[in-house]
Amino acid sequence: MYKYSVSILGTGFIGLCSAACFAQKEIKVIASTHDEKKAKLINDGIAPFFEANLQEILDEIKAKNQGMLQCLTGSIDAIAATDISMITQGTPMRADKSIDLSFIETTAKEIGMALKNKDKYHLVVVRSTVVPGTSRNLVGRLITEISGKIPGKDFGLCMQPEFLAEGRSIEDTFNPDRIIIGEFDEKSGSMLQEFYEYFYGEHLKNCPIMRMNLESAELVKYGNNSLLSTKISYANEFANFAELVPNVDIVQVMKGVGLDYRINSRFLGAGVGFGGSCFHKDVNAIKAWAKTKGYTSRLLEAVLGINDDQAIHVVDIAEELAGTLAGKRISLLGLAFKPGTDDMREAASIRVVDELLKRGIKDIVGYDPKANETAEREMGKKIEYATSIEAALKDSECAFLITEWDEFKSLSPDDFKKHMKTPNLIDGRRIYDYDTFHAALPFRAIGRTDLK
Ligand code: UGA
């Protein structure tokens, strides 16, 4: 089996984690970024951002497989020196909520320029999340126009959607549950399949490779993120139903529903709603894309609306519990969009803060074990930033649990009673034992109300 070399064009979570995992298995990888500082860090074996286990893999490569991973500041040489190029650039959300394909466009042009002078067959793989038609009509077209080469003959084209979750990128790269290959033609798909047969070996016994056309693969990714977001909004809708009936608990209800093998209980966690760089961006992008084709998505509109409303809802239940909050000091425990990261993109904390401010509640203090700095960059002076749980709770009259970090899970009712001026607690992620907390202090939790 031939061991292909790979260029990775874009060194974000997906790009760098893939590059590191490939290199660790002795596949020659040349990554490229326009950021000189980042390239130097990677070449020195230092992870330029935090992601669980990434640094460990880079250390291993440095110790055992030096030379397998290098990073250049331009893509042309990286493309020229490798057999396969993977596009792993970001596809952010534009102000009108549609997809911004400018990084993909630039990279496709660079590939076109590189291939102009390359005689050997080269495979291009789009791994970024892109709306249907992008791989063929933007990437494939630009490469053809600029290089003068013929797709299917001189170069191959695939689209392989990515399912890594932040904080699990390395684990997910090594243990995917399936590999989706969208192919321009059979030769392209077979070459990528061969690459993964080498990389995954035995793991493929439990991990099907599914091949389809480019546009279907592009849509699989949106199908995935849209369904996961839908599950969360569905759980939040039922949490709101549960709150209409005393002593009905959403956690039990979703556990009961999730035991159906056709459903499963993952992503049925009700709470303050989903955040992160992907769900909002992708659900909005596919909705906006459908609109350009004349189709209005009622389902995805509702998914996003329910998610936004959760931030209003937690503030409503806090005011039911503690009375009007204006003039009182409020604490937010957790600011990051999920535990295990300092990423603040689309975090629920931002929506909760905006809702508090809208109601004239200005004395807000937040604490996050990892995201204080990124939160300050995102929210500036809208809130104060505490450096410990105690400092965040001091003088507070209502605390909101927003991100389910382990260090918050171990808090007892006494911790809130001891540090707060008036201990009112809203559990926005259902991490506290309802009966214990409800008996011990004024307490509300998403998806449950009580007669007492
Ligand atoms: C998500 C997907 O899970 C990945 O499969 C996908 O590859 C990635 O987006 C992407 O498109 O790049 P990620 O955004 O890193 O990954 O994080 P998740 O673990 O999916 O969590 C997203 C949000 O949903 C978090 O704010 C989390 O708190 C929330 N969530 C999750 C809930 O509110 N309830 C749940 O039951 C599960």
Side-chain angles (χ1 to χ4, degrees):
M1 196 181 295
Y2 182 71
K3 208 201 295 183
Y4 295 109
S5 56
V6 188
S7 42
I8 303 277
L9 314 177
T11 50
F13 282 97
I14 297 174
L16 187 54
C17 289
S18 304
C21 293
F22 293 158
Q24 198 223 23
K25 290 224 175 158
E26 296 186 356
I27 290 168
K28 184 180 163 222
V29 180
I30 307 180
S32 94
T33 169
H34 293 290
D35 182 340
E36 271 180 40
K37 229 162 92 187
K38 206 173 186 188
K40 183 170 183 326
L41 286 170
I42 297 169
N43 286 326
D44 289 344
I46 300 165
F49 50 79
F50 176 78
E51 176 64 24
N53 300 321
L54 176 60
Q55 187 56 56
E56 287 77 357
I57 302 238
L58 292 177
D59 289 345
E60 252 179 69
I61 295 168
K62 205 170 171 185
K64 282 199 250 149
N65 303 326
Q66 211 162 20
M68 280 298 147
L69 173 61
Q70 55 166 312
C71 188
L72 306 180
T73 45
S75 56
I76 307 274
D77 291 343
I79 299 160
T82 49
D83 304 306
I84 301 176
S85 290
M86 295 187 172
I87 302 177
T88 54
Q89 298 287 2
T91 50
M93 189 162 73
R94 289 201 292 217
D96 68 356
K97 304 201 166 170
S98 65
I99 191 167
D100 178 352
L101 292 168
S102 54
F103 297 119
I104 304 291
E105 191 173 334
T106 308
T107 307
K109 286 179 180 164
E110 288 169 357
I111 298 174
M113 285 187 282
L115 295 193
K116 205 175 189 168
N117 303 314
K118 192 174 178 187
D119 292 329
K120 211 173 146 208
Y121 181 85
H122 193 87
L123 177 64
V124 177
V125 185
V126 177
R127 292 183 63 193
S128 308
T129 300
V130 293
V131 289
T134 308
S135 301
R136 190 186 306 272
N137 303 327
L138 184 73
V139 177
R141 177 181 57 80
L142 283 172
I143 297 173
T144 308
E145 280 171 13
I146 293 168
S147 67
K149 303 279 161 127
I150 300 165
K153 179 178 164 282
D154 304 317
F155 72 95
L157 183 60
C158 285
M159 196 282 150
Q160 185 213 336
E162 201 51 65
F163 306 107
L164 314 180
E166 242 177 88
R168 296 177 42 98
S169 298
I170 298 290
E171 202 182 324
D172 288 347
T173 302
F174 281 129
N175 303 295
D177 39 22
R178 83 295 209 191
I179 294 166
I180 304 293
I181 295 180
E183 58 193 36
F184 174 82
D185 60 352
E186 198 182 338
K187 185 177 174 187
S188 307
S190 298
M191 183 163 166
L192 189 58
Q193 173 154 352
E194 197 188 334
F195 172 78
Y196 282 120
E197 279 166 358
Y198 170 80
F199 178 66
Y200 284 116
E202 287 292 293
H203 179 72
L204 290 181
K205 282 191 180 146
N206 305 312
C207 167
I209 291 183
M210 195 178 169
R211 287 168 59 174
M212 54 186 75
N213 67 20
L214 296 168
E215 291 75 13
S216 303
E218 290 165 329
L219 200 53
V220 167
K221 170 65 189 227
Y222 287 102
N224 231 76
N225 276 359
S226 297
L227 182 56
L228 293 172
S229 310
T230 302
K231 283 184 89 173
I232 298 168
S233 281
Y234 153 84
N236 284 331
E237 176 105 309
F238 268 74
N240 293 335
F241 293 165
E243 287 173 28
L244 302 175
V245 195
N247 298 326
V248 167
D249 193 327
I250 191 63
V251 176
Q252 284 182 350
V253 174
M254 285 300 116
K255 195 169 173 197
V257 171
L259 283 171
D260 186 324
Y261 74 95
R262 294 166 301 181
I263 297 174
N264 92 44
S265 60
R266 295 179 196 99
F267 282 73
L268 291 181
V272 278
F274 56 78
S277 63
C278 304
F279 285 174
H280 281 84
K281 167 177 87 73
D282 294 348
V283 173
N284 275 299
I286 199 67
K287 196 172 131 273
W289 170 83
K291 195 84 199 266
T292 65
K293 307 268 172 208
Y295 182 82
T296 302
S297 169
R298 284 167 297 163
L299 177 66
L300 298 184
E301 183 71 40
V303 166
L304 293 166
I306 291 169
N307 196 57
D308 286 344
D309 286 352
Q310 281 308 94
I312 300 170
H313 182 61
V314 278
V315 181
D316 281 343
I317 62 177
E319 292 208 303
E320 276 171 33
L321 181 74
T324 307
L325 293 178
K328 294 177 178 159
R329 188 162 173 82
I330 307 303
S331 323
L332 301 188
L333 296 184
L335 300 168
F337 89 91
K338 68 175 183 181
T341 175
D342 65 356
D343 199 333
M344 281 293 296
R345 286 175 289 177
E346 305 289 343
S349 60
I350 302 171
R351 294 187 289 280
V352 174
V353 166
D354 286 343
E355 183 58 26
L356 290 167
L357 292 172
K358 213 189 264 174
R359 297 187 194 191
I361 303 152
K362 296 192 183 96
D363 189 6
I364 311 165
V365 55
Y367 165 68
D368 191 282
K370 268 226 151 70
N372 271 10
E373 252 178 58
T374 37
E376 192 164 357
R377 257 180 266 144
E378 180 76 38
M379 294 195 281
K381 292 195 181 352
K382 283 184 182 173
I383 67 168
E384 285 170 39
Y385 302 89
T387 50
S388 67
I389 297 174
E390 293 76 37
L393 295 180
K394 193 170 176 288
D395 297 331
S396 170
E397 295 189 60
C398 187
F400 291 80
L401 186 288
I402 303 287
T403 316
E404 65 277 33
W405 287 96
D406 282 344
E407 71 176 82
F408 300 143
K409 288 185 184 162
S410 55
L411 294 175
S412 69
D414 281 344
D415 293 311
F416 292 95
K417 285 179 164 169
K418 199 162 64 195
H419 299 296
M420 293 175 75
K421 184 170 162 192
T422 320
N424 290 293
L425 174 62
I426 312 298
D427 183 354
R429 292 288 179 191
R430 297 306 308 266
I431 64 172
Y432 297 120
D433 180 68
Y434 186 87
D435 293 324
T436 310
F437 274 72
H438 187 256
L441 79 171
F443 178 72
R444 285 287 302 264
I446 292 280
R448 174 145 183 196
T449 49
D450 209 290
L451 275 179
K452 282 172 276 166

